Amino acid sequence: MRIDLNGAAIEVAARTLAEALSDLGYDGALATALNGRFVPATARTETPLHDGDRVEVLAPMQGG
Amino acid sequence: MQLYDIDLASRLLLGTAQYPSPQILTDAIAASGCGVITVSLRREIAGARGANGFWPLLQATGARILPNTAGCHSAREAITTAQMAREVFATSWIKLEVIGNADTLQPDPFALVEAARVLCADGFAVFPYTTEDLIVAERLLDAGCRVLMPWGAPIGSGRGLRHVDALTAMRGHFPSVPLIIDAGIGAPSQAAQAMEMGFDAVLLNTAVAKAGDPVAMARAFGQAVAAGRLAFEAGLMPPRDMAAPSTPVLGMADLGLGGLR
């Protein structure tokens, strides 16, 4: 299925958010949102992905 | 100083962006003596190791982490970002920024209050980046904020305190609310001025990061903030319009040469 990851359209085989992160090689301190809503790390395995979903994966960054 | 029941030795809060190198960043944090540093969240490229390098570096400084919602232009966006930050940084502290205009980076007070209400109810310790508007400040306190962060000048402008009278009124209107000047500070003298006016703390980033020697500038800001606070506590003399001799006039010699008129 086709999802939008951090603003870019990609094709994924994963059926859950956790699977997608793992397949894409994400690791470490990350926070996720699905269609504008926060998804806690503990909920990623039970969060199904659907065609057209918008996924945001954020990490710590310098800030003012 | 206490912010949300946390004791802090320093009244300087420092941003972590725009430094020439990670080493200079950590040296500047140490030199400033600050107890709180601001951080952000940004999109992570799959397989990148960006976060894994930066985040442990900041954790090692021992400073308390204040994540921000920089770049958010709506209440919803800021709320989601705050929730994400709470998980990653393991803190309920959030510097709440909801930007109303991309050019001025002015806070959107309406969306700010809306987001603050939701986040305070959700257990966040909200540090709202706001203007000096007293009614907005009242609404933020009503929403549950226990700290306010009025701007000195637009973000990154280095202009100092643009509206001294309004900020003085704000300080007077909220004598017991911790007020932190956030944004616009360009020089240590401006930070000292804010502290002399009785503001509780100063938050800055660019003035240190973009200095010729950021580590030395960080130290200068640490000293200026401490000096300004000490001056406030010592009690500044009231200004007067006319000159008044500081050396006693009584007992001055009359040399007959034109003195003592």
Side-chain angles (χ1 to χ4, degrees):
Chain A
M1 88 187 96
R2 211 166 167 75
I3 64 164
D4 182 298
L5 174 74
N6 285 350
I10 59 160
E11 198 70 37
V12 291
R15 287 181 305 180
T16 67
L17 183 55
E19 277 175 38
L21 293 180
S22 168
D23 290 354
L24 291 163
Y26 276 113
D27 185 24
L30 298 168
T32 49
L34 179 64
N35 298 323
R37 289 188 170 278
F38 168 58
V39 180
T42 50
R44 288 176 196 152
T45 49
E46 297 107 55
T47 301
L49 289 180
H50 301 99
D51 204 48
D53 274 347
R54 288 180 298 110
V55 175
E56 290 285 333
V57 182
L58 306 187
M61 181 71 188
Q62 296 90 332
Chain B
M1 172 178 66
Q2 269 204 343
L3 299 176
Y4 285 101
D5 303 323
I6 299 295
D7 284 311
L8 294 164
S10 169
R11 292 173 178 273
L12 176 62
L13 296 81
L14 195 61
T16 58
Q18 308 181 81
Y19 290 79
S21 74
Q23 185 65 52
I24 291 175
L25 165 61
T26 50
D27 287 352
I29 292 169
S32 74
C34 76
V36 177
I37 52 177
T38 56
V39 294
S40 188
L41 279 177
R42 284 294 177 268
R43 284 173 166 175
E44 178 77 340
I45 298 161
R49 288 289 173 269
N52 293 345
F54 171 72
W55 178 218
L57 198 73
L58 288 191
Q59 285 175 302
T61 65
R64 180 167 277 271
I65 302 293
L66 177 58
N68 69 27
T69 62
C72 290
H73 284 253
S74 72
R76 274 293 311 279
E77 217 180 349
I79 291 164
T80 299
T81 303
Q83 291 166 334
M84 296 171 88
R86 177 163 63 178
E87 181 179 85
V88 169
F89 296 110
T91 175
S92 62
W93 281 24
I94 191 77
K95 171 180 163 177
L96 183 60
E97 264 186 68
V98 188
I99 299 301
N101 182 289
D103 291 326
T104 62
L105 300 181
Q106 188 164 348
D108 176 340
F110 307 98
L112 182 69
V113 171
E114 186 187 337
R117 185 171 292 120
V118 172
L119 292 172
C120 289
D122 192 18
F124 281 88
V126 176
F127 294 66
Y129 163 63
T130 184
T131 67
E132 60 282 273
D133 189 285
L134 299 181
I135 307 306
V136 173
E138 296 271 16
R139 296 290 184 274
L140 288 168
L141 295 174
D142 290 346
C145 297
R146 287 161 58 201
V147 172
L148 299 173
M149 301 210 297
W151 61 354
I155 295 171
S157 68
R159 293 296 200 158
L161 308 183
R162 297 293 292 275
H163 306 126
V164 170
D165 290 346
L167 287 170
T168 302
M170 188 180 199
R171 178 68 287 180
H173 196 70
F174 302 104
S176 54
V177 177
L179 298 179
I180 302 171
I181 297 291
D182 175 18
I185 297 290
S189 55
Q190 297 161 355
Q193 180 192 7
M195 298 308 296
E196 286 170 5
M197 289 167 65
F199 284 92
D200 293 275
V202 168
L203 196 171
L204 55 97
N205 188 154
T206 312
V208 167
K210 292 295 183 189
D213 181 343
V215 179
M217 189 60 82
R219 185 171 296 116
F221 267 105
Q223 292 175 359
V225 166
R229 178 63 190 185
L230 190 58
F232 171 71
E233 288 170 354
L236 294 157
M237 66 164 277
R240 47 191 294 164
D241 291 331
M242 299 301 289
S246 47
T247 303
V249 181
L250 189 70
M252 257 190 84
D254 182 0
L255 302 176
L257 297 171
L260 287 187
R261 273 174 210 280

